[in-house]
Amino acid sequence: DGGITQSPKYLFRKEGQNVTLSCEQNLNHDAMYWYRQDPGQGLRLIYYSQIVNDFQKGDIAEGYSVSREKKESFPLTVTSAQKNPTAFYLCASSIFGQGNTEAFFGQGTRLTVV
Amino acid sequence: RKEVEQDPGPFNVPEGATVAFNCTYSNSASQSFFWYRQDCRKEPKLLMSVYSSGNEDGRFTAQLNRASQYISLLIRDSKLSDSATYLCVVPPSGGSYIPTFGRGTSLIVHP
C-alpha cells in the first residue's frame, strides 16, 4: 500500500542534543513538507522540498535542517539551536503542481525534551 | 490579514445537531481548497475538497463563497464520532503551492 511513514512515533531529546526524524513516502510525490504543531495550535511550516536536492525554508526554519537526497526521503534534524523543540512534528507529501495542494500526512513524531 | 483564519471554537453541540464552520482566506486567486479532520494526537486526514460548485458527501457539505473569500463546512445530524478538529487548507498568495493550514476549529459533540 502507498503511504507516508514517519519514525519514531515518540522521541526524547536531551538538552544540547541533535536528533533526526525520519520521513519516507512511496507515493511518488515530488513535494514533501515538514510542519510543527504545538498544543491547541495550527500547523506551522518548517521546511519544504519540491524536487530532489532542493529545499526551502518555511516560516519557522531556525534550529532545524533537512536534506532531500532521494525522492522518497525527507529527514528533519532538530538541532541544539532549536530552543523549544518539544512539539508534534508532521511530515507530508503532495503532487506538486498548480492548484493541487492535497497533502498526505505521516502519523507524526512527538518530540519531548528531557 | 492572515492567509487563513478559522474560529478555534470549541463548538459544543448535542448529537443530531447541525453545525457549520467558516474559514476565511486572503488569496483571491486561490482555486482549490480542502477540509481536513484531525483527531486528538493524530495526523490530519483529508475530509473533503472544495471546488467552485461546492461538494457534498453524506452528512458533510463544503461550499465556497468567492465574493466574501471564505469556505464553509456544514455537518448535519452530528455524531459523537464527529468530535475532532477541522482544519481548512488554502494555497497561499505569491504563486507557491505550499499547503497553508488554518489553526483549526474544535468540535465537541455530546450525548
Side-chain angles (χ1 to χ4, degrees):
Chain A
D1 287 336
I4 180 165
T5 302
Q6 286 185 244
S7 63
K9 190 172 181 180
Y10 299 96
L11 185 59
F12 297 90
R13 193 194 92 167
K14 293 181 180 179
E15 294 281 353
Q17 189 179 44
N18 292 356
V19 291
T20 298
L21 284 59
S22 170
C23 179
E24 304 277 334
Q25 55 98 0
N26 60 3
L27 298 167
N28 200 33
H29 286 165
D30 290 307
M32 297 187 74
Y33 317 89
W34 275 105
Y35 294 91
R36 168 181 172 143
Q37 188 175 37
D38 293 284
Q41 302 296 316
L43 278 65
R44 292 186 290 167
L45 184 67
I46 304 172
Y47 268 98
Y48 65 96
S49 168
Q50 297 169 342
I51 197 169
V52 174
N53 292 323
D54 185 59
F55 49 83
Q56 305 296 328
K57 292 182 179 180
D59 301 317
I60 55 166
E62 186 175 351
Y64 300 97
S65 65
V66 294
S67 62
R68 187 84 187 277
E69 297 176 1
K70 299 186 299 181
K71 187 176 185 178
E72 302 78 18
S73 180
F74 191 40
L76 173 74
T77 296
V78 184
T79 74
S80 57
Q82 172 48 241
K83 298 305 178 188
N84 185 24
T86 295
F88 187 42
Y89 290 87
L90 288 158
C91 180
S93 69
S94 72
I95 297 170
F96 176 64
Q98 184 173 3
N100 187 335
T101 56
E102 178 182 348
F104 296 81
F105 284 87
Q107 292 185 311
T109 293
R110 199 163 296 275
L111 174 63
T112 304
V113 174
V114 297
Chain B
R1 185 179 180 181
K2 291 184 180 177
E3 299 272 11
V4 184
E5 292 198 65
Q6 290 185 257
D7 180 347
F11 285 62
N12 203 321
V13 302
E15 272 187 292
T18 295
V19 62
F21 316 129
N22 285 343
C23 171
T24 58
Y25 62 92
S26 59
N27 180 13
S28 59
S30 296
Q31 294 295 316
S32 57
F33 308 84
F34 302 90
W35 280 103
Y36 281 72
R37 170 191 170 129
Q38 185 176 25
D39 292 296
C40 187
R41 303 176 74 83
K42 299 284 189 180
E43 77 276 20
K45 293 185 178 178
L46 181 67
L47 178 66
M48 301 183 74
S49 305
V50 188
Y51 299 109
S52 57
S53 58
N55 195 2
E56 183 172 328
D57 183 5
R59 299 182 293 109
F60 298 83
T61 300
Q63 292 190 318
L64 169 62
N65 185 317
R66 282 200 182 277
S68 300
Q69 293 186 210
Y70 72 87
I71 61 173
S72 63
L73 178 67
L74 180 77
I75 305 175
R76 291 179 295 276
D77 188 24
S78 298
K79 311 291 184 190
L80 295 176
S81 58
D82 293 334
S83 297
T85 297
Y86 292 84
L87 304 162
C88 69
V89 178
V90 304
S93 57
S96 68
Y97 308 113
I98 312 306
T100 300
F101 289 79
R103 65 176 292 183
T105 296
S106 176
L107 172 65
I108 301 170
V109 181
H110 59 80

